[in-house]
Amino acid sequence: MKEIFTTEAPEAIGPYSQGIVVNNIFYSSGQIPLTPEGEIVEGSIEEQTHQVFNNLKAVLKEAGASLDTVVKATVFIKDMDTFPTVNEIYGYYFNEHQPARSCVEVARLPKDVLVEIEVIALVK
């Protein structure tokens, strides 16, 4: 197992890593809308979702993967009414390549953010 760490994404806020590579597969921890400096993006669901994707791209790159190699994504949202907006932004990042996905509404997310996404990807 190889632990992934990059300063281009926020550090883990608990006893876990940004992600792990095992046998050419990258498993990310859930990314929330924190800047690499650890500040919460307090904006709209749009702003928060774009920050989550910035974080995902950074940890994927460090792992030797990319959005193009994601095989599965899990999206956690605080309010299912925001699904159309999150889905539109998700489609911006996954436009041609469309990995398997689950999306669930949850009662609460870390730091009371609106969205969290985790991915599984092949390492190039």
Side-chain angles (χ1 to χ4, degrees):
M1 288 190 294
K2 177 184 174 189
E3 187 174 315
I4 299 303
F5 174 77
T6 178
T7 58
E8 300 298 313
E11 290 187 34
I13 56 176
Y16 59 91
S17 63
Q18 292 172 329
I20 297 285
V21 174
V22 177
N23 297 329
N24 290 7
I25 300 177
F26 172 64
Y27 300 87
S28 82
S29 291
Q31 291 295 315
I32 62 175
L34 291 177
T35 66
E37 297 76 35
E39 300 295 322
I40 296 174
V41 173
E42 295 284 354
S44 65
I45 187 67
E46 293 90 350
E47 292 168 296
Q48 288 197 7
T49 305
H50 283 294
Q51 183 62 52
V52 167
F53 272 99
N54 289 338
N55 297 342
L56 285 170
K57 290 191 300 185
V59 295
L60 284 161
K61 180 180 177 184
E62 186 67 25
S66 69
L67 290 175
D68 290 336
T69 67
V70 170
V71 295
K72 174 74 165 82
T74 305
V75 180
F76 304 94
I77 54 178
K78 188 172 180 179
D79 181 355
M80 195 56 80
D81 289 342
T82 65
F83 176 79
T85 302
V86 172
N87 196 47
E88 182 179 335
I89 295 166
Y90 181 95
Y92 171 80
Y93 291 97
F94 290 116
N95 51 25
E96 290 185 26
H97 168 65
Q98 298 176 339
R101 179 184 75 184
S102 300
C103 181
V104 295
E105 179 184 69
V106 295
R108 195 168 182 200
L109 289 165
K111 298 196 176 276
D112 291 318
V113 299
L114 304 175
V115 60
E116 179 175 0
I117 301 175
E118 65 183 27
V119 297
I120 300 170
L122 294 175
V123 175
K124 298 176 187 173

